[in-house]
Amino acid sequence: MYQCRPVLAEDYSFICSFPQNAEELFYMFPTAVYPLTVDQIEGNSNSRLKPTVILNHSGQVTGYSNLYNYEEAERCWLGNVILSPGYRGTGLAEALINNMIAIARNELVVKTLHLCCHSTNTRGLLFYSKLGFKPYDLTKITGKQGELIAGILMRISLND
């Protein structure tokens, strides 16, 4: 039903419309400034691996993610996960994450895929847990207002 493909330059303007407020952008891309701009997301994407979009049945870009911090044969990290607001809760996020898991397993051939989810993002934590990601550590993150937030480090084994 959904198709994933590498991001194209013309996709960035669509991706910029996905974060609906500063909090959503912080969850997706903590160092970005709201509202998200093409320059910000394109610059970030160019420093990442396998920037990927997911398309709906009409071919419209409806989600985005990438991988980073690749350590050959060991691990990489899932980053910048965001969906178009109208497609949240439809199974699209699961399809996108499963595609990113497949890329990490089959193309990058790593043992584990890691991510960091903010402790304030309950929906995200529950979602990643449902997909099989397990928490294993905490990190300190400074929020946009200078507040301290726990980043919950999670991983999934790709050897299974």
Side-chain angles (χ1 to χ4, degrees):
M1 182 167 168
Y2 300 112
Q3 175 190 0
C4 291
R5 65 161 169 75
V7 71
L8 303 174
E10 56 266 24
D11 298 332
Y12 293 121
S13 59
F14 293 107
I15 296 164
C16 287
S17 71
F18 296 165
Q20 297 298 288
N21 54 51
E23 181 181 44
E24 284 186 10
L25 180 59
F26 182 70
Y27 290 160
M28 175 220 180
F29 184 175
T31 58
V33 176
Y34 187 80
L36 184 59
T37 63
V38 169
D39 287 345
Q40 289 181 91
I41 192 64
E42 188 171 18
N44 177 265
S45 181
N46 289 338
S47 71
R48 301 292 178 107
L49 296 169
K50 306 294 183 179
T52 300
V53 293
I54 190 164
L55 312 174
N56 67 9
H57 62 278
S58 302
Q60 179 183 19
V61 173
T62 51
Y64 172 76
S65 186
N66 56 50
L67 301 170
Y68 67 101
N69 285 0
Y70 171 69
E71 295 175 39
E72 188 173 349
E74 289 300 321
R75 72 185 57 87
C76 64
W77 290 74
L78 178 68
N80 300 129
V81 177
I82 189 76
L83 297 172
S84 173
Y87 287 87
R88 296 173 188 172
T90 66
L92 179 91
E94 187 171 349
L96 177 60
I97 301 306
N98 283 335
N99 181 78
M100 300 309 289
I101 289 170
I103 290 171
R105 176 186 288 126
N106 303 326
E107 294 180 33
L108 299 179
V109 193
V110 293
K111 296 175 187 172
T112 55
L113 179 60
H114 296 247
L115 61 84
C116 180
C117 190
H118 302 101
S119 61
T120 53
N121 185 358
T122 303
R123 185 174 178 180
L125 290 166
L126 294 172
F127 170 71
Y128 291 124
S129 179
K130 179 184 118 179
L131 294 181
F133 285 87
K134 305 286 185 214
Y136 68 92
D137 205 354
L138 297 174
T139 188
K140 294 178 186 177
I141 299 171
T142 303
K144 292 293 185 186
Q145 313 306 322
E147 74 279 21
L148 195 58
I149 298 170
I152 299 175
L153 303 181
M154 303 177 82
R155 66 181 164 220
I156 189 170
S157 173
L158 305 180
N159 292 337
D160 302 335

